[in-house]
Amino acid sequence: MHSMKPFVNPKFVKPLVFMACLLPLVFGIQAGFTDQLGANPIEEITHRTGDWTLRLLLITLAATPLRRLFGWGWPLRVRRMLGLFTFFYACLHLLTYLVLDQFFDWEDILKDIIKRPYITIGFGAFVLLVPLAVTSTNAMMRRLGKRWGQLHQLIYVIAVFGILHYLWLVKADYLLPLIHAAILLTLLLVRAWYQRQSLSAGRPAPQTS
Ligand code: HEM
């Protein structure tokens, strides 16, 4: 079993991950100020914030498999932070759509949510992210007890919705959404495998959220 102790002092892991999660925002702001967002800056910002929402969601889901496969404890210690950054970029993504793309045109926004399936499922993913972000505190974990773990199983539904959102919005090139789908499938298979291992060894199913 390997741990990360030889490389990074555990007390630096959280600040390092925090700063790493801020980098896409910093690079985005820098690109904005140096006119590097291309011919359609709003589309570029929508894509960047959408990409990082999905990437951080998959990184958050990788925490437990990394623990199982390599014995690494540090991903679990930063999982809540990663989950909250997923929500942070999802909020930036939604705000880009509501403010910059749609200029608060609520009628058009509602039409989009009802009529465009990729927006409908993207919106669904966002709505499901809200209770996970709201209940991410220690106090909420204590208050909800067993229901907390059950509620946070929603992360799997959100991940599938996020992938479908990406798959349904691309017009031609399906490679990137399919790579994200393959990563999600691999993470879920690793979990299912360990779950089955524990059950067949008569151990209680491992805490999966
Ligand atoms: C209210 C919720 C959401 C709305 C209104 C929304 C809207 C959009 C729009 C308009 C685009 C650009 C489509 C285009 O280029 O034609 C987009 C792209 C994207 N969104 Fe969302 N989205 C939402 C939630 C989410 C969530 C929750 C995720 C992740 C879990 C996500 C991930 C993505 C990704 C990965 C892209 C593609 C970026 C690329 O092409 O590189 N979106 N979204």
Side-chain angles (χ1 to χ4, degrees), residues 194-204:
Y194 274 101
Q195 188 117 359
R196 218 174 57 129
Q197 290 295 95
S198 310
L199 291 173
S200 59
R203 288 193 303 270

Side-chain angles (χ1 to χ4, degrees), residues 9-166:
N9 178 330
K11 76 171 186 247
F12 295 135
V13 169
K14 271 194 175 170
L16 280 174
V17 171
F18 188 87
M19 287 189 281
C21 290
L22 275 180
L23 283 181
L25 177 68
V26 172
F27 288 143
I29 293 170
Q30 185 227 358
F33 280 109
T34 55
D35 206 12
Q36 287 173 38
L37 291 173
N40 189 339
I42 296 175
E43 190 179 280
E44 178 62 20
I45 299 170
T46 308
H47 286 184
R48 286 180 182 217
T49 50
D51 286 341
W52 280 104
T53 305
L54 197 51
R55 286 172 194 152
L56 284 163
L57 188 59
L58 294 176
I59 293 169
T60 307
L61 277 172
T64 302
L66 288 173
R67 166 87 176 151
R68 303 247 176 262
L69 288 169
F70 307 113
W72 294 351
W74 63 269
L76 288 175
R77 285 199 294 279
V78 293
R79 186 175 56 185
R80 174 172 27 201
M81 185 196 294
L82 292 168
L84 287 171
F85 266 108
T86 302
F87 185 64
F88 171 68
Y89 283 103
C91 290
L92 291 183
H93 186 59
L94 177 60
L95 282 174
T96 307
Y97 171 78
L98 294 179
V99 183
L100 301 182
D101 193 351
Q102 297 289 352
F103 308 114
F104 298 111
D105 185 337
W106 300 114
E107 205 183 319
D108 262 8
I109 291 166
L110 204 59
K111 257 194 233 141
D112 259 4
I113 293 170
I114 295 166
K115 292 202 175 137
R116 300 169 82 180
Y118 86 88
I119 299 269
T120 317
I121 204 153
F123 195 75
F126 184 84
V127 169
L128 293 178
L129 273 171
V130 174
L132 299 196
V134 171
T135 59
S136 61
T137 61
N138 288 339
M140 273 298 204
M141 280 176 85
R142 278 193 300 277
R143 213 163 108 197
L144 293 175
K146 225 166 161 285
R147 288 172 297 152
W148 188 91
Q150 289 159 356
L151 175 70
H152 281 252
Q153 300 280 311
L154 280 177
I155 194 166
Y156 305 127
V157 179
I158 295 164
V160 172
F161 279 16
I163 301 274
L164 288 175
H165 171 69
Y166 199 2

